[in-house]
Amino acid sequence: MKNMLDAPFVTELVRTCTNMYAHGWDERNGGNISLRLDEREAAEYLDAPAAPRREPTGFSCPALDGMLFLVTGTGKYFKNVQYDPAANLGLVRLTDGGACAEVLWGFSDGGRFTSEFAAHMMSHAARLGIDPESRVILHCHPNHLLAMTYVHDLDERAFTRTLWQMETENIFVFPEGVGVLPWMLCGTNEIGAATAEKMKRGRIVIWAQHGIYGAGRTLDEAFGLIETAEKAAEVYLKIAHLPWKQTITDDALRQIAAHFGVTPRAEYLD
């Protein structure tokens, strides 16, 4: 059996955690990641215990029953993941219709999966209904997107249009736009269900006064999605108080979408 610490998916998740912390997106123990693994992908590294530790998930999701997920732990600091992946990460299998998770590797100090686990799994289920290749849910607290939720209208159409207009290629990166939730208590099934509902229409959900959820087929895709939206928010905050002499017009947005072969959310364009 190969060493789990040498598995490419562990290495990539460690690098992503480290990069997110370096960007300032995951202070303290803020933020969490879940990566869905293929059984064959994990098999050569996984020597599952005969009697794995079982943890209740607090929700039910039969569509994910039996699936494997590599996830960050609750209370874990992203800055420490690179130094001790086995303590800060865990590989779990959902059982009992999603009501329980078996810890097959990791959380070596007795820890458990992120407190946002239910929200992650609900979003995985929602995205798999749209894209069977979706594998990643990534949550973090990017500075500029967080600040933008204090000063910008939270209407999804208006929020999306502002982000699209901040850089020419943004509409190509997230043509479906962004979902936006008003402030809700984190760590609850209620915010998880609301996020999952938004995930049926797109891969980005903004939590007002909190952060962002991003989905993707790969860690790079999910990271790049959030990175692009965060840069757009940074540009907006730098110019919002200034008189605008020009912007990217709706006609230009349509030209960009046609050039890159994507279909933007039609109702978000004038």
Side-chain angles (χ1 to χ4, degrees):
M1 191 65 60
K2 295 183 179 179
N3 189 335
M4 182 67 78
L5 295 176
D6 295 328
F9 48 83
V10 172
T11 300
E12 188 177 8
L13 187 55
V14 169
R15 287 174 177 167
T16 300
C17 289
T18 303
N19 203 8
M20 290 171 66
Y21 179 76
H23 274 63
W25 297 353
D26 295 276
E27 73 291 339
R28 199 172 179 270
N29 62 320
N32 24 75
I33 305 176
S34 58
L35 169 65
R36 182 173 61 86
L37 299 177
D38 183 272
E39 190 82 32
R40 293 166 298 177
E41 183 182 21
E44 59 183 319
Y45 299 97
L46 184 58
D47 187 12
R53 175 160 57 100
R54 292 165 58 85
E55 294 279 355
T57 62
F59 72 102
S60 176
C61 191
L64 301 182
D65 192 67
M67 292 188 182
L68 297 174
F69 293 90
L70 183 64
V71 298
T72 52
T74 186
K76 302 301 184 182
Y77 289 34
F78 270 32
K79 71 183 182 67
N80 295 332
V81 174
Q82 62 182 314
Y83 305 115
D84 194 352
N88 292 283
L89 306 176
L91 198 161
V92 303
R93 185 194 306 276
L94 290 185
T95 65
D96 304 306
C100 187
E102 297 179 337
V103 179
L104 305 180
W105 173 86
F107 301 143
S108 59
D109 59 358
R112 69 192 306 266
F113 44 75
T114 169
S115 61
E116 302 285 2
F117 189 74
H120 276 249
M121 296 302 109
M122 291 177 190
S123 286
H124 274 291
R127 288 308 305 166
L128 282 169
I130 305 299
D131 178 10
E133 295 185 49
S134 181
R135 300 179 66 200
V136 177
I137 298 295
L138 192 159
H139 169 58
C140 58
H141 310 153
N143 298 355
H144 299 93
L145 280 167
L146 177 58
M148 189 172 166
T149 66
Y150 284 88
V151 299
H152 194 283
D153 190 329
L154 295 182
D155 173 77
E156 291 178 340
R157 183 181 187 274
F159 211 98
T160 294
R161 286 176 56 83
T162 294
L163 295 179
W164 278 352
Q165 291 173 331
M166 292 303 101
E167 203 274 327
T168 295
E169 295 183 359
N170 287 353
I171 196 170
F172 161 68
V173 177
F174 46 99
E176 66 273 39
V178 302
V180 182
L181 288 176
W183 185 90
M184 297 179 68
L185 183 62
C186 59
T188 66
N189 285 6
E190 287 74 20
I191 196 170
T195 303
E197 190 61 33
K198 299 288 186 185
M199 282 284 182
K200 294 177 182 178
R201 295 295 304 270
R203 296 164 297 144
I204 296 177
V205 181
I206 308 292
W207 286 5
Q209 293 83 53
H210 186 147
I212 184 172
Y213 258 60
R217 295 182 172 185
T218 66
L219 286 163
D220 271 354
E221 181 182 296
F223 183 94
L225 191 65
I226 291 175
E227 188 175 36
T228 302
E230 166 65 357
K231 182 174 181 178
E234 180 179 7
V235 174
Y236 169 75
L237 291 174
K238 287 181 176 179
I239 66 172
H241 63 293
L242 301 172
W244 293 15
K245 296 185 180 296
Q246 50 273 323
T247 189
I248 300 175
T249 65
D250 282 56
D251 180 60
L253 289 171
R254 291 188 180 92
Q255 290 183 52
I256 298 163
H259 179 75
F260 285 105
V262 299
T263 303
R265 196 160 170 177
E267 64 268 33
Y268 284 3
L269 292 173
D270 289 334

